[in-house]
């Protein structure tokens, strides 16, 4: 009798359940945990991962901008949540850079040997290089301000730009995992080659952005997309200069106080 009552009453909100799910809160009807329950859970996890995680990654690699546009326009059932996906990939990227490549020490050695910066600056830049994907993820809401200003007449609101930038961050991180990190691993110990690769990567990033935005705004001309992308980078550069000045002033004030 007690088991029958549990199947008829939602264990979350105590509403009556007439079908497989509660009509009030959406919780599934009570089912005792047994072998079939665990098998169903494993099957759901496998299917959901295949249709969600790998489906999103496949589409982002092939058509990153169009995938972001389709999601914003409502094609969402088969996709992983973009912010969650970006977070997972950035965590994996940070693990590879820190635990596998030891990119922090690698880049610190590069900056100290070839650029002759101070140890403090070398450490900062090495840390930034090692956790670049994760730092960029934290900056997604800020980048959304830049893109919403640059593309303000092209139809999306700020929150849609947040999702757009989450997709771009995922695209950027996938490129790092698939291409950049393996190359760093093969070139470890070759300071000159690592410097050249880092410079090439910085030069390629705007091209990645143009490709992404052209996929998102397919109806716009290449010229318009390129100009808007340059505006995004200009806004980001101006903000970056202000941040550097702010950090520099704080460092001077701290040194004077000490």
């Amino acid at each position: 009798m007690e088991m029958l009552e549990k199947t008829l009453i939602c264990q979350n909100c105590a509403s009556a359940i007439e079908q497989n799910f509660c009509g009030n809160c959406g919780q599934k009807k009570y089912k005792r945990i047994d072998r079939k329950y665990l098998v169903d859970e494993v099957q759901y996890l496998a299917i959901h991962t295949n249709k969600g995680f790998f489906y999103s990654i496949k589409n982002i690699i092939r058509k990153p901008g169009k995938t972001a546009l389709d999601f914003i326009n409502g094609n969402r059932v088969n996709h992983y949540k973009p912010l969650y996906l970006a977070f997972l990939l950035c965590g994996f990227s940070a693990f590879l850079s820190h635990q596998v490549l030891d990119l922090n020490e690698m880049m610190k050695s590069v900056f100290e040997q070839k650029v002759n910066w101070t140890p403090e600056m070398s450490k900062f830049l090495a840390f930034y290089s090692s956790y670049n994907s994760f730092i960029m993820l934290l900056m997604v809401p800020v980048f959304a301000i830049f893109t919403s200003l640059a593309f303000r007449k092209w139809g999306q609101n700020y929150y849609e730009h947040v999702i757009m930038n989450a997709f771009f961050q995922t695209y950027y991180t996938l490129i790092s995992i698939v291409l950049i990190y393996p190359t760093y691993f093969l070139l470890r110990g070759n300071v000159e080659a690592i410097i050249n690769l880092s410079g090439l990567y910085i030069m390629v990033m705007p091209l990645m952005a143009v490709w992404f935005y052209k996929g998102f705004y397919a109806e716009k001309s290449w010229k318009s997309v390129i100009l808007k992308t340059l505006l995004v980078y200009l806004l980001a550069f101006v903000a970056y200069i202000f941040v550097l000045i702010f950090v520099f002033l704080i460092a001077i004030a701290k040194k004077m106080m000490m």
Side-chain angles (χ1 to χ4, degrees):
M1 181 60 114
E2 181 181 353
M3 192 73 68
L4 179 60
E5 291 178 354
K6 283 187 175 183
T7 61
L8 298 177
I9 301 297
C10 176
Q11 301 302 301
N12 182 50
C13 67
S15 299
I17 298 181
E18 298 179 357
Q19 298 182 359
N20 289 330
F21 294 88
C22 175
N24 183 47
C25 69
Q27 175 163 287
K28 194 173 182 179
K29 183 167 66 174
Y30 170 82
K31 179 181 178 182
R32 187 172 182 178
I33 295 177
D34 53 15
R35 180 177 176 276
K36 186 177 184 305
Y37 174 88
L38 292 179
V39 171
D40 290 342
E41 287 293 302
V42 171
Q43 288 178 345
Y44 173 81
L45 177 62
I47 294 173
H48 181 67
T49 300
N50 183 51
K51 286 188 176 180
F53 185 82
F54 294 113
Y55 177 84
S56 294
I57 286 179
K58 179 187 71 174
N59 282 276
I60 290 170
I61 290 176
R62 292 175 58 198
K63 298 178 179 179
K66 185 179 185 303
T67 300
L69 178 65
D70 290 344
F71 184 89
I72 290 174
N73 286 341
N75 183 7
R76 304 170 188 171
V77 66
N78 291 324
H79 282 284
Y80 240 49
K81 302 294 184 182
L83 291 173
Y84 185 47
L85 179 60
F87 180 80
L88 286 177
L89 289 176
C90 285
F92 183 60
S93 173
F95 169 79
L96 289 178
S97 65
H98 187 68
Q99 298 294 334
V100 178
L101 290 175
D102 197 11
L103 196 57
N104 188 44
E105 290 298 321
M106 183 190 301
M107 299 308 294
K108 186 167 67 173
S109 174
V110 168
F111 291 129
E112 288 177 349
Q113 291 181 38
K114 289 294 181 179
V115 189
N116 295 321
W117 274 324
T118 62
E120 291 76 15
M121 181 61 74
S122 297
K123 288 180 182 178
F124 170 76
L125 292 173
F127 176 83
Y128 181 83
S129 300
S130 300
Y131 295 96
N132 182 252
S133 295
F134 206 75
I135 293 171
M136 285 189 64
L137 175 61
L138 296 177
M139 293 295 291
V140 161
V142 179
F143 289 136
I145 296 175
F146 304 148
T147 55
S148 62
L149 289 174
F151 298 103
R152 65 185 182 279
K153 295 182 179 180
W154 287 8
Q156 284 70 43
N157 61 38
Y158 169 75
Y159 303 100
E160 290 170 328
H161 277 276
V162 171
I163 298 302
M164 176 206 291
N165 280 275
F167 272 100
F168 180 77
Q169 172 60 27
T170 300
Y171 174 51
Y172 169 86
T173 305
L174 284 170
I175 296 298
S176 298
I177 293 172
V178 174
L179 296 178
I180 304 301
Y181 287 170
T183 310
Y184 274 146
F185 183 78
L186 294 174
L187 296 176
R188 63 190 186 282
N190 190 336
V191 174
E192 196 71 38
I194 291 175
I195 291 177
N196 293 334
L197 177 62
S198 299
L200 178 63
Y201 193 27
I202 292 173
M203 293 174 61
V204 168
M205 277 193 63
L207 300 179
M208 293 169 54
V210 169
W211 174 255
F212 179 89
Y213 294 134
K214 177 57 180 172
F216 193 94
Y217 297 107
E219 75 283 359
K220 304 296 182 180
S221 67
W222 279 101
K223 180 180 177 181
S224 298
V225 171
I226 291 172
L227 291 175
K228 294 293 186 180
T229 304
L230 290 175
L231 180 57
V232 171
Y233 274 85
L234 177 62
L235 292 171
F237 178 74
V238 171
Y240 177 70
I241 294 298
F242 275 106
V243 170
L244 282 183
I245 293 173
F246 180 71
V247 172
F248 180 71
L249 292 175
I250 291 178
I252 291 177
K254 183 179 178 181
K255 187 173 181 179
M256 292 176 64
M257 290 175 63
M258 292 178 62

Tab-separated table of all heavy atoms in Angstrom, residues 35-66:
chain	number	residue	atom	x	y	z
A	35	ARG	N	17.870	-3.121	-10.564
A	35	ARG	CA	18.806	-3.341	-11.665
A	35	ARG	C	18.356	-2.600	-12.923
A	35	ARG	O	19.153	-1.964	-13.617
A	35	ARG	CB	18.930	-4.841	-11.941
A	35	ARG	CG	19.885	-5.189	-13.087
A	35	ARG	CD	20.000	-6.710	-13.240
A	35	ARG	NE	20.833	-7.057	-14.375
A	35	ARG	CZ	20.404	-7.123	-15.634
A	35	ARG	NH1	19.119	-6.866	-15.913
A	35	ARG	NH2	21.228	-7.453	-16.613
A	36	LYS	N	17.079	-2.672	-13.244
A	36	LYS	CA	16.566	-2.005	-14.443
A	36	LYS	C	16.751	-0.493	-14.342
A	36	LYS	O	17.043	0.182	-15.340
A	36	LYS	CB	15.091	-2.343	-14.647
A	36	LYS	CG	14.528	-1.810	-15.963
A	36	LYS	CD	13.082	-2.237	-16.149
A	36	LYS	CE	12.554	-1.785	-17.511
A	36	LYS	NZ	12.696	-0.338	-17.736
A	37	TYR	N	16.579	0.063	-13.146
A	37	TYR	CA	16.765	1.504	-12.937
A	37	TYR	C	18.188	1.924	-13.290
A	37	TYR	O	18.403	2.911	-13.998
A	37	TYR	CB	16.443	1.861	-11.486
A	37	TYR	CG	16.739	3.295	-11.129
A	37	TYR	CD1	15.787	4.290	-11.325
A	37	TYR	CD2	17.980	3.656	-10.601
A	37	TYR	CE1	16.058	5.613	-11.000
A	37	TYR	CE2	18.262	4.978	-10.278
A	37	TYR	CZ	17.295	5.951	-10.476
A	37	TYR	OH	17.573	7.257	-10.161
A	38	LEU	N	19.172	1.151	-12.799
A	38	LEU	CA	20.571	1.485	-13.077
A	38	LEU	C	20.905	1.333	-14.559
A	38	LEU	O	21.629	2.146	-15.134
A	38	LEU	CB	21.498	0.603	-12.243
A	38	LEU	CG	21.472	0.847	-10.729
A	38	LEU	CD1	22.427	-0.108	-10.029
A	38	LEU	CD2	21.865	2.290	-10.410
A	39	VAL	N	20.360	0.284	-15.186
A	39	VAL	CA	20.589	0.087	-16.624
A	39	VAL	C	20.020	1.256	-17.418
A	39	VAL	O	20.650	1.784	-18.345
A	39	VAL	CB	19.973	-1.240	-17.094
A	39	VAL	CG1	20.006	-1.337	-18.625
A	39	VAL	CG2	20.719	-2.416	-16.478
A	40	ASP	N	18.817	1.700	-17.050
A	40	ASP	CA	18.191	2.834	-17.735
A	40	ASP	C	19.007	4.109	-17.561
A	40	ASP	O	19.145	4.905	-18.498
A	40	ASP	CB	16.768	3.054	-17.204
A	40	ASP	CG	15.817	1.937	-17.626
A	40	ASP	OD1	16.162	1.212	-18.573
A	40	ASP	OD2	14.750	1.807	-17.002
A	41	GLU	N	19.558	4.304	-16.349
A	41	GLU	CA	20.359	5.500	-16.090
A	41	GLU	C	21.629	5.511	-16.941
A	41	GLU	O	22.005	6.541	-17.496
A	41	GLU	CB	20.725	5.575	-14.603
A	41	GLU	CG	19.566	5.939	-13.691
A	41	GLU	CD	19.088	7.359	-13.934
A	41	GLU	OE1	19.889	8.300	-13.815
A	41	GLU	OE2	17.899	7.514	-14.272
A	42	VAL	N	22.289	4.347	-17.031
A	42	VAL	CA	23.516	4.253	-17.842
A	42	VAL	C	23.190	4.482	-19.305
A	42	VAL	O	23.923	5.197	-20.013
A	42	VAL	CB	24.186	2.877	-17.637
A	42	VAL	CG1	25.326	2.692	-18.622
A	42	VAL	CG2	24.692	2.746	-16.208
A	43	GLN	N	22.094	3.908	-19.790
A	43	GLN	CA	21.706	4.110	-21.180
A	43	GLN	C	21.389	5.571	-21.453
A	43	GLN	O	21.785	6.133	-22.485
A	43	GLN	CB	20.494	3.239	-21.518
A	43	GLN	CG	20.801	1.758	-21.617
A	43	GLN	CD	19.561	0.940	-21.905
A	43	GLN	OE1	18.432	1.421	-21.762
A	43	GLN	NE2	19.758	-0.301	-22.308
A	44	TYR	N	20.697	6.221	-20.519
A	44	TYR	CA	20.361	7.632	-20.691
A	44	TYR	C	21.618	8.487	-20.739
A	44	TYR	O	21.746	9.396	-21.568
A	44	TYR	CB	19.461	8.103	-19.541
A	44	TYR	CG	19.210	9.600	-19.561
A	44	TYR	CD1	18.249	10.144	-20.407
A	44	TYR	CD2	19.952	10.463	-18.751
A	44	TYR	CE1	18.019	11.514	-20.442
A	44	TYR	CE2	19.741	11.818	-18.786
A	44	TYR	CZ	18.764	12.341	-19.619
A	44	TYR	OH	18.555	13.699	-19.654
A	45	LEU	N	22.582	8.175	-19.851
A	45	LEU	CA	23.830	8.932	-19.818
A	45	LEU	C	24.585	8.797	-21.137
A	45	LEU	O	25.076	9.782	-21.700
A	45	LEU	CB	24.707	8.449	-18.663
A	45	LEU	CG	26.094	9.100	-18.545
A	45	LEU	CD1	25.949	10.596	-18.293
A	45	LEU	CD2	26.893	8.450	-17.433
A	46	ALA	N	24.667	7.559	-21.647
A	46	ALA	CA	25.386	7.320	-22.895
A	46	ALA	C	24.707	8.024	-24.068
A	46	ALA	O	25.358	8.683	-24.879
A	46	ALA	CB	25.493	5.828	-23.160
A	47	ILE	N	23.396	7.904	-24.148
A	47	ILE	CA	22.663	8.523	-25.257
A	47	ILE	C	22.723	10.036	-25.158
A	47	ILE	O	22.957	10.741	-26.139
A	47	ILE	CB	21.194	8.031	-25.272
A	47	ILE	CG1	21.147	6.534	-25.599
A	47	ILE	CG2	20.376	8.825	-26.287
A	47	ILE	CD1	19.773	5.924	-25.469
A	48	HIS	N	22.523	10.568	-23.933
A	48	HIS	CA	22.536	12.017	-23.753
A	48	HIS	C	23.909	12.593	-24.075
A	48	HIS	O	24.024	13.652	-24.698
A	48	HIS	CB	22.147	12.361	-22.312
A	48	HIS	CG	22.110	13.830	-22.041
A	48	HIS	ND1	21.187	14.659	-22.618
A	48	HIS	CD2	22.913	14.618	-21.272
A	48	HIS	CE1	21.384	15.900	-22.210
A	48	HIS	NE2	22.426	15.911	-21.398
A	49	THR	N	24.964	11.893	-23.653
A	49	THR	CA	26.319	12.371	-23.939
A	49	THR	C	26.583	12.347	-25.433
A	49	THR	O	27.162	13.281	-25.994
A	49	THR	CB	27.357	11.498	-23.206
A	49	THR	OG1	27.112	11.577	-21.801
A	49	THR	CG2	28.762	11.976	-23.495
A	50	ASN	N	26.152	11.280	-26.091
A	50	ASN	CA	26.391	11.164	-27.529
A	50	ASN	C	25.641	12.245	-28.300
A	50	ASN	O	26.181	12.875	-29.206
A	50	ASN	CB	25.958	9.780	-28.023
A	50	ASN	CG	26.255	9.575	-29.492
A	50	ASN	OD1	27.363	9.804	-29.930
A	50	ASN	ND2	25.254	9.165	-30.243
A	51	LYS	N	24.404	12.465	-27.918
A	51	LYS	CA	23.583	13.433	-28.642
A	51	LYS	C	23.882	14.861	-28.203
A	51	LYS	O	23.639	15.797	-28.955
A	51	LYS	CB	22.090	13.131	-28.427
A	51	LYS	CG	21.601	11.912	-29.185
A	51	LYS	CD	20.093	11.795	-29.077
A	51	LYS	CE	19.570	10.637	-29.922
A	51	LYS	NZ	18.106	10.507	-29.841
A	52	GLY	N	24.353	15.032	-26.972
A	52	GLY	CA	24.597	16.375	-26.473
A	52	GLY	C	26.034	16.809	-26.626
A	52	GLY	O	26.360	17.649	-27.461
A	53	PHE	N	26.916	16.233	-25.832
A	53	PHE	CA	28.306	16.654	-25.779
A	53	PHE	C	28.997	16.504	-27.138
A	53	PHE	O	29.504	17.470	-27.710
A	53	PHE	CB	29.032	15.828	-24.714
A	53	PHE	CG	30.446	16.261	-24.477
A	53	PHE	CD1	30.720	17.329	-23.651
A	53	PHE	CD2	31.500	15.597	-25.076
A	53	PHE	CE1	32.026	17.748	-23.425
A	53	PHE	CE2	32.803	15.989	-24.863
A	53	PHE	CZ	33.069	17.064	-24.032
A	54	PHE	N	28.994	15.282	-27.672
A	54	PHE	CA	29.699	15.040	-28.929
A	54	PHE	C	28.981	15.671	-30.122
A	54	PHE	O	29.625	16.097	-31.086
A	54	PHE	CB	29.894	13.540	-29.149
A	54	PHE	CG	30.806	12.906	-28.140
A	54	PHE	CD1	30.324	11.995	-27.216
A	54	PHE	CD2	32.145	13.241	-28.095
A	54	PHE	CE1	31.164	11.425	-26.278
A	54	PHE	CE2	33.000	12.675	-27.166
A	54	PHE	CZ	32.506	11.763	-26.248
A	55	TYR	N	27.667	15.748	-30.051
A	55	TYR	CA	26.918	16.406	-31.114
A	55	TYR	C	27.297	17.877	-31.205
A	55	TYR	O	27.547	18.409	-32.294
A	55	TYR	CB	25.418	16.253	-30.862
A	55	TYR	CG	24.536	16.969	-31.863
A	55	TYR	CD1	24.210	16.375	-33.078
A	55	TYR	CD2	24.021	18.233	-31.569
A	55	TYR	CE1	23.399	17.028	-33.994
A	55	TYR	CE2	23.213	18.890	-32.480
A	55	TYR	CZ	22.902	18.293	-33.687
A	55	TYR	OH	22.105	18.940	-34.599
A	56	SER	N	27.370	18.534	-30.050
A	56	SER	CA	27.735	19.958	-30.032
A	56	SER	C	29.160	20.163	-30.511
A	56	SER	O	29.438	21.070	-31.310
A	56	SER	CB	27.557	20.531	-28.623
A	56	SER	OG	26.206	20.531	-28.235
A	57	ILE	N	30.082	19.340	-30.012
A	57	ILE	CA	31.491	19.481	-30.410
A	57	ILE	C	31.646	19.286	-31.921
A	57	ILE	O	32.349	20.055	-32.590
A	57	ILE	CB	32.370	18.488	-29.636
A	57	ILE	CG1	32.528	18.955	-28.189
A	57	ILE	CG2	33.732	18.324	-30.301
A	57	ILE	CD1	33.356	18.051	-27.337
A	58	LYS	N	30.984	18.265	-32.466
A	58	LYS	CA	31.084	18.007	-33.906
A	58	LYS	C	30.604	19.208	-34.706
A	58	LYS	O	31.271	19.626	-35.671
A	58	LYS	CB	30.256	16.773	-34.260
A	58	LYS	CG	30.262	16.425	-35.749
A	58	LYS	CD	29.286	15.302	-36.047
A	58	LYS	CE	27.849	15.780	-35.913
A	58	LYS	NZ	26.867	14.737	-36.329
A	59	ASN	N	29.488	19.776	-34.311
A	59	ASN	CA	28.940	20.904	-35.056
A	59	ASN	C	29.747	22.176	-34.863
A	59	ASN	O	29.887	22.971	-35.806
A	59	ASN	CB	27.482	21.138	-34.645
A	59	ASN	CG	26.526	20.157	-35.288
A	59	ASN	OD1	26.079	20.344	-36.408
A	59	ASN	ND2	26.222	19.088	-34.570
A	60	ILE	N	30.304	22.370	-33.673
A	60	ILE	CA	31.123	23.560	-33.427
A	60	ILE	C	32.401	23.507	-34.239
A	60	ILE	O	32.860	24.520	-34.781
A	60	ILE	CB	31.423	23.706	-31.929
A	60	ILE	CG1	30.138	24.083	-31.180
A	60	ILE	CG2	32.497	24.761	-31.671
A	60	ILE	CD1	30.260	24.030	-29.675
A	61	ILE	N	33.014	22.332	-34.340
A	61	ILE	CA	34.232	22.196	-35.150
A	61	ILE	C	33.928	22.453	-36.627
A	61	ILE	O	34.691	23.126	-37.325
A	61	ILE	CB	34.854	20.800	-34.962
A	61	ILE	CG1	35.440	20.671	-33.543
A	61	ILE	CG2	35.941	20.548	-35.999
A	61	ILE	CD1	35.986	19.303	-33.242
A	62	ARG	N	32.806	21.938	-37.104
A	62	ARG	CA	32.477	22.068	-38.525
A	62	ARG	C	31.975	23.469	-38.872
A	62	ARG	O	32.460	24.097	-39.811
A	62	ARG	CB	31.414	21.039	-38.912
A	62	ARG	CG	31.890	19.590	-38.873
A	62	ARG	CD	30.736	18.642	-39.150
A	62	ARG	NE	30.113	18.924	-40.437
A	62	ARG	CZ	28.896	18.498	-40.778
A	62	ARG	NH1	28.175	17.804	-39.913
A	62	ARG	NH2	28.409	18.774	-41.952
A	63	LYS	N	30.988	23.965	-38.117
A	63	LYS	CA	30.367	25.262	-38.414
A	63	LYS	C	30.105	26.000	-37.098
A	63	LYS	O	28.962	26.037	-36.620
A	63	LYS	CB	29.068	25.063	-39.187
A	63	LYS	CG	29.244	24.391	-40.544
A	63	LYS	CD	27.900	24.182	-41.236
A	63	LYS	CE	28.080	23.537	-42.606
A	63	LYS	NZ	26.762	23.310	-43.276
A	64	PRO	N	31.145	26.585	-36.500
A	64	PRO	CA	30.987	27.190	-35.168
A	64	PRO	C	29.974	28.331	-35.118
A	64	PRO	O	29.124	28.378	-34.229
A	64	PRO	CB	32.401	27.680	-34.845
A	64	PRO	CG	33.091	27.807	-36.167
A	64	PRO	CD	32.518	26.734	-37.018
A	65	GLY	N	30.056	29.257	-36.071
A	65	GLY	CA	29.140	30.396	-36.050
A	65	GLY	C	27.705	29.996	-36.301
A	65	GLY	O	26.785	30.455	-35.613
A	66	LYS	N	27.479	29.131	-37.277
A	66	LYS	CA	26.119	28.683	-37.591
A	66	LYS	C	25.527	27.876	-36.435
A	66	LYS	O	24.333	27.975	-36.144
A	66	LYS	CB	26.129	27.836	-38.862
A	66	LYS	CG	24.733	27.438	-39.331
A	66	LYS	CD	24.780	26.619	-40.599
A	66	LYS	CE	23.366	26.327	-41.111
A	66	LYS	NZ	22.528	25.634	-40.113
